[in-house]
Amino acid sequence: MKIARRVTYLLAAASAFLVTTGSISGVAAADNPPTPLYRSAQAAFVSGHNAAGIRDLERMVAAAPANPQALALQAIWADYAGDLITRETAFNKLNTVDPGMAAGARGVLGAIGAGVGTLPNPLPSMIGPQTALVVLGYGLLPNGAMRPELVNRLQAAWLQAVAAPNSPIVVTGGAPQNGVPEAAAMAGWLIGHGIPASRVLVEDRSGSTVQNALFSTRIMRDRGIGSAVVITSPNHVRRAVTDFIVAGTRVVGAMTSPNEIISQLAPPSKAAQRGIYLDATHTFLPNSG
């Protein structure tokens, strides 16, 4: 129960911060940064060459000094690289060019902090009917059957659904195999295990965690639902929580399957956070590269 309380506290605090700054993903400007330079910077960060990534971003900003997206990306990646001078310089310029984008980029860093601080938690949250349960997909077998890890996620979702019998459930995942999208297979499993079909909302177009977050948030928003319990695997929960917060969903709980929880309790190293930063920037600015 201490783990559950810790997760709820961390995510509630982060969500409260993000509510005060507005929907993070909704502040993107129309102009995109120079894509080749940003892609080069991404590749550098992913391979651990932080200095090269920072140089590419500096070139990107030099080529477009008043581009809000370029400045936002520079600030976020400078934070990852530990270059606080570059981060704050970028934020100062961004505050002048586009205060809304600056607030959104600050919110991304808050979301990353919340995601990194999330603990894998096998216990259901106590929530009301205005909070959705969002179950993230996992690649199907070539014949359309579910892999054991996806079944583990669904078993955790079923337990949370029983604990919150009035909450809607969003199953999210495309990537069809043998004509079957992940979300369709997931909905079938839940309905086959006694969950009313009327509770299950199917998002079957997404092909990544970023799209899981963006498309599910859109479904929930259309139905007046602003908060969610995110349900996935222990090694995936920090990235998923970050993406959903950046997408504009208030995450009030994060439930995982029980497998391999112990190995995932320690916070990830900065190097291991690269994927979280990468996903967060793609969720914040979907056309950034």
Side-chain angles (χ1 to χ4, degrees):
M1 292 302 294
K2 290 182 179 179
I3 291 177
R5 286 196 294 269
R6 175 67 171 160
V7 172
T8 302
Y9 171 79
L10 283 168
L11 296 176
S15 298
F17 167 78
L18 295 172
V19 166
T20 64
T21 58
S23 173
I24 296 176
S25 64
V27 297
D31 296 329
N32 293 330
T35 302
L37 280 174
Y38 182 55
R39 287 179 176 166
S40 175
Q42 284 180 319
F45 286 119
V46 169
S47 61
H49 299 120
N50 294 348
I54 289 293
R55 284 196 299 271
D56 282 339
L57 291 175
E58 288 173 348
R59 292 168 58 201
M60 182 178 73
V61 171
N67 187 305
Q69 291 194 24
L71 289 167
L73 290 168
Q74 184 183 42
I76 293 167
W77 279 113
D79 181 83
Y80 168 74
D83 187 343
L84 302 187
I85 293 176
T86 297
R87 184 191 72 185
E88 291 308 310
T89 299
F91 271 127
N92 286 338
K93 292 178 181 176
L94 188 55
N95 275 323
T96 300
V97 172
D98 189 334
M101 179 72 81
R106 291 276 189 193
V108 169
L109 298 184
I112 291 170
V116 169
T118 299
L119 297 175
N121 172 29
L123 304 175
S125 300
M126 297 299 106
I127 57 175
Q130 294 305 309
T131 296
L133 319 179
V134 184
V135 196
L136 276 65
Y138 190 88
L140 302 176
L141 293 168
N143 64 359
M146 293 188 295
R147 299 178 191 271
E149 186 53 42
L150 182 52
V151 175
N152 290 339
R153 294 182 185 186
L154 289 167
Q155 289 171 339
W158 182 89
L159 183 61
Q160 177 64 81
V162 171
N166 296 314
S167 291
I169 305 166
V170 180
V171 289
T172 172
Q177 291 289 351
N178 197 28
V180 181
E182 295 164 20
M186 296 160 71
W189 189 96
L190 289 169
I191 293 167
H193 286 76
I195 302 297
S198 59
R199 288 185 65 184
V200 182
L201 306 174
V202 175
E203 186 289 295
D204 60 1
R205 298 186 298 118
S206 57
S208 66
T209 308
V210 168
Q211 291 181 346
N212 289 155
L214 291 171
F215 297 168
S216 296
T217 295
R218 192 174 303 157
I219 287 174
M220 289 186 287
R221 188 171 293 154
D222 288 345
R223 289 162 175 77
I225 301 168
S227 61
V229 173
V230 175
I231 304 168
T232 187
S233 306
N235 64 356
H236 186 234
V237 68
R238 291 180 170 100
R239 184 155 57 95
V241 165
T242 300
D243 289 356
F244 271 84
I245 295 175
V246 175
T249 291
R250 188 166 63 93
V251 178
V252 298
M255 188 178 181
T256 68
S257 52
N259 305 64
E260 301 181 358
I261 279 184
I262 298 302
S263 66
Q264 299 297 324
L265 286 177
S269 66
K270 198 67 177 182
Q273 294 175 31
R274 283 194 296 263
I276 296 175
Y277 275 79
L278 188 63
D279 260 25
T281 58
H282 281 165
T283 307
F284 180 47
L285 302 170
N287 297 320
S288 61

